[in-house]
Amino acid sequence: MTRPAPSYKGLTRIASLVSLCVALILVCVKVWAWAATGSIALLTSAADGLVDVLASMVTLIGVRYAGRPADKGHRYGHGKAEAVAAFVQALLLGGAGLVLGGESVGRIINPEPLAQLGLGIWVIIGSSLAATGLVLMQTYVVKRTGSTAIAADRAHYITDVAVNIAVLLALIFERYFGWTRSDSIGALLISFYMLWNARGMAADALTQLLDRELSADDRKRVKAAVLSVEGVRGVHDIRTRNGGDRVFVEFHVEVDGSLTVDVGHDIGDAAEMAVSKLFKSADVTAHLEPDGIDDDRLDNILS
């Protein structure tokens, strides 16, 4: 059985703290710009930023809790806390999208004049650069750790970059082309995008929370790794799930029934090690059985 790399906790915590600080700064700047311009698109961006702040706080708490070692009450560890954090983020993002979509429709019906559009344009440009830098940093952390919560947080800021671009275009059309409803239409499109992104985030989190099996390719790799071990005659009842900070794999390994317990145990350990090498971090459990035994199998039930 392998353990998460020592850098996992440190990288995820740093990424969470940086996200929170950047989100706090951006939301304050955007609220100030919205108050100065009256732009509903800027309000949408500011609200999205506020969701980012709340989401980053949830992520920070989730990452810290998920980093706790296994204890008597949680013998599988606390890795699913990240998936909970990701699901909460999806709810926050979806709720904001619904509220802002309704406000945008109202502004499309009754457009209002905007002020200081030049200020709004420069604020959005600066926000876009900051969000892009944050996404690059989070992408690096996700590649190193595979963190579900950081991936969900990154999705927020990818949305933020898209939101900023839409707001920028809306303000440019409003200022230079006199399209009075472009601001509201841009905000409505952003709301739809927020809802779509929230749907994807929730689906990814639920995959982990509901113990969905790993992909068919991963299961094939597990089976092949077990069968490659000397002394293994068969494998069945493979069960897998994503625990957030690691994957869990269980299987029944079949060996010659005449072997001693010590030899059979060594074969089981070798099978566990072979599977562990397939993943960055895995908790692997092999159940030893004599080859040819007639018993109830999960594989038969499922088929």
Side-chain angles (χ1 to χ4, degrees):
M1 181 176 71
T2 59
R3 297 292 181 185
S7 61
Y8 179 92
K9 296 179 183 178
L11 282 174
T12 53
R13 287 179 180 176
I14 290 173
S16 300
L17 286 170
V18 171
S19 298
L20 180 58
C21 292
V22 171
L24 280 170
I25 293 172
L26 291 181
V27 73
C28 291
V29 172
K30 289 177 181 178
V31 167
W32 167 66
W34 163 68
T37 62
S39 166
I40 184 63
L42 265 174
L43 175 61
T44 304
S45 186
D48 183 62
L50 180 59
V51 172
D52 288 339
V53 171
L54 297 175
S56 295
M57 292 175 66
V58 170
T59 300
L60 181 60
I61 295 171
V63 166
R64 290 181 66 87
Y65 186 80
R68 293 182 179 182
D71 54 35
K72 291 183 178 179
H74 304 85
R75 294 179 185 267
Y76 286 102
H78 301 78
K80 283 193 176 182
E82 291 197 17
V84 174
F87 189 71
V88 171
Q89 290 184 45
L91 293 179
L92 292 172
L93 190 61
L98 287 173
V99 172
L100 293 169
E103 181 67 22
S104 301
V105 171
R107 284 288 192 95
I108 291 174
I109 297 172
N110 299 303
E112 298 180 9
L114 305 182
Q116 300 190 54
L117 290 175
L119 171 65
I121 290 173
W122 283 110
V123 166
I124 288 300
I125 291 174
S127 297
S128 300
L129 293 175
T132 300
L134 188 57
V135 167
L136 293 176
M137 182 272 292
Q138 290 174 324
T139 299
Y140 168 78
V141 174
V142 170
K143 286 182 178 179
R144 288 288 304 275
T145 66
S147 169
T148 305
I150 299 300
D153 207 33
R154 179 184 60 175
H156 268 291
Y157 287 100
I158 292 175
T159 300
D160 200 41
V161 173
V163 166
N164 289 337
I165 293 174
V167 173
L168 180 61
L169 291 175
L171 295 180
I172 288 175
F173 285 139
E174 182 94 12
R175 180 176 184 181
Y176 296 104
F177 298 97
W179 295 4
T180 57
R181 287 183 171 82
S182 62
D183 178 66
S184 304
I185 293 173
L188 183 60
L189 294 176
I190 292 166
S191 299
F192 286 142
Y193 183 75
M194 292 168 69
L195 291 171
W196 177 260
N197 213 26
R199 182 205 60 83
M201 291 166 56
D204 290 341
L206 288 175
T207 294
Q208 185 172 316
L209 291 173
L210 298 179
D211 288 337
R212 185 176 180 83
E213 288 281 344
L214 299 183
S215 68
D217 288 340
D218 281 338
R219 288 175 56 82
K220 289 180 181 178
R221 291 168 60 215
V222 168
K223 184 175 182 178
V226 176
L227 292 176
S228 69
V229 175
E230 185 177 357
V232 173
R233 293 189 174 183
V235 59
H236 62 271
D237 287 1
I238 298 174
R239 295 196 296 177
T240 61
R241 64 185 176 89
N242 189 337
D245 59 342
R246 76 197 80 171
V247 298
F248 290 88
V249 182
E250 301 174 16
F251 52 84
H252 291 208
V253 60
E254 304 166 27
V255 300
D256 184 351
S258 64
L259 296 176
T260 64
V261 174
D262 287 343
V263 174
H265 180 267
D266 289 341
I267 293 174
D269 282 349
E272 290 177 350
M273 183 59 66
V275 173
S276 296
K277 292 179 180 179
L278 300 177
F279 306 97
K280 290 183 179 180
S281 182
D283 193 320
V284 185
T285 303
H287 173 74
L288 202 64
E289 287 187 3
D291 181 32
I293 188 174
D294 184 16
D295 62 350
D296 293 330
R297 295 187 176 186
L298 178 63
D299 290 344
N300 295 335
I301 296 173
L302 296 179
S303 62

